[in-house]
Amino acid sequence: MVAETVIAIRGLTNRFGKTVVHENLSLDVHRGEVLGVVGASGSGKSVLLRSIVGLMAPSAGQITMLGTDVLGASAADRAAVSVRTGVMFQDGALFSALTVRENVEAPMRERLSVDAVTRRALADLRIAMVGLPARAGDLFPSALSGGMRKRAGLARALSLDPEILFLDEPTAGLDPISASAFDTLLNSLRTSLGLTVFLVTHDLDTLQATCDRIAVLADRRVLATGTMAEMRDVDDAWVRSYFNGPRAHAALAVAGSS
């Protein structure tokens, strides 16, 4: 059975002045999978994510998401695709002047025609889904721990019940216990909600714990895709160092013992 492609990227090029970040990059994301995107610093992982979700316009190429050519579509068609996706940026990127509940409600205010009571109930449901206590809804981001901010950012990304979830370094800055708890939460939500996840990360434990496939960015393109085990056989110096180093071995050892 051939997996359905929900994101298809063809010939993508991103330039900043004379600097070429991506050149003729192509990648498919399949429905229901967690795809981890890795690469050395400066390889354009976050730039790729921002290109897909429409936060920056690439210099060339085509991006088809959920059957829509998002670069060539009308504003209305792009908006229709956007409501079917959710994005969590590093550290949650919450609005500091809003409570957690108000942050989660923000996309609903913009995109949904629902009354305030319903909006609040939906926000509280999302807050509970990501494992935050009910009292967290009344807190401001400054009162949250790093792990709680990540979960609040995830709750906001889930606000519109998306089909595709984009996560940018979701476990960066977390202690190992909090990072492992986030991985477990992601796996649970992926299963219960039927999510497709595009995950930018450098965390080998997260790659091993959550990802079906991994895409490696190098030399301005996708160098290789495959499982974490398959990455260990890729003939490239950076990939060998990354996936055959002591941290990779530790991540695989933990997975094998669980």
Side-chain angles (χ1 to χ4, degrees):
M1 181 175 176
V2 178
E4 178 188 356
T5 298
V6 293
I7 303 174
I9 304 167
R10 298 290 181 270
L12 188 74
T13 297
N14 275 303
R15 293 190 187 92
F16 298 95
K18 295 182 179 180
T19 302
V20 179
V21 179
H22 303 132
E23 186 172 29
N24 199 30
L25 181 152
S26 294
L27 177 66
D28 287 340
V29 182
H30 304 142
R31 183 175 293 280
E33 77 171 340
V34 179
L35 176 72
V37 179
V38 303
S41 178
S43 61
K45 301 181 293 295
S46 294
V47 171
L48 177 58
L49 184 155
R50 289 173 176 271
S51 297
I52 298 170
V53 301
L55 292 177
M56 60 175 294
S59 305
Q62 181 181 46
I63 300 173
T64 302
M65 183 157 53
L66 296 169
T68 298
D69 176 4
V70 293
L71 299 181
S74 66
D77 286 343
R78 287 197 301 271
V81 172
S82 179
V83 298
R84 298 167 68 186
T85 68
V87 185
M88 175 188 163
F89 297 104
Q90 293 186 38
D91 200 37
L94 300 168
F95 299 116
S96 61
L98 301 181
T99 65
V100 169
R101 182 182 297 106
E102 290 168 339
N103 266 281
V104 178
E105 287 183 21
M108 301 181 201
R109 289 194 189 93
E110 182 180 355
R111 301 294 180 87
L112 301 182
S113 297
V114 295
D115 60 78
V117 173
T118 302
R119 194 167 60 234
R120 180 186 177 97
L122 289 171
D124 286 343
L125 175 61
R126 301 295 187 268
I127 290 168
M129 284 171 58
V130 300
L132 287 173
R135 63 178 178 81
D138 296 319
L139 300 178
F140 289 93
S142 59
L144 303 178
S145 66
M148 291 178 73
R149 280 197 302 275
K150 299 277 191 180
R151 289 175 183 253
L154 179 58
R156 187 176 65 184
L158 294 171
S159 176
L160 299 179
D161 193 20
E163 296 173 45
I164 304 176
L165 183 63
F166 295 89
L167 305 177
D168 192 359
E169 297 284 7
T171 57
L174 296 182
D175 64 82
I177 294 174
S178 296
S180 178
F182 192 97
D183 293 342
T184 300
L185 172 63
L186 178 58
N187 283 332
S188 175
L189 291 172
R190 176 261 190 102
T191 300
S192 61
L193 301 178
L195 294 168
T196 301
V197 183
F198 183 97
L199 169 65
V200 171
T201 187
H202 67 278
D203 190 329
L204 282 157
D205 291 326
T206 293
L207 291 171
Q208 177 60 43
T210 67
C211 293
D212 300 294
R213 287 193 306 141
I214 297 166
V216 179
L217 300 189
D219 298 326
R220 302 184 295 279
R221 60 188 176 89
V222 176
L223 178 68
T225 60
T227 65
M228 188 161 172
E230 289 169 342
M231 290 298 103
R232 301 179 69 184
D233 295 325
V234 174
D235 186 17
D236 176 83
W238 186 89
V239 175
R240 282 197 303 271
S241 176
Y242 190 82
F243 288 99
N244 288 282
R247 287 190 174 185
H249 284 291
L252 287 167
V254 169
S257 64
S258 61

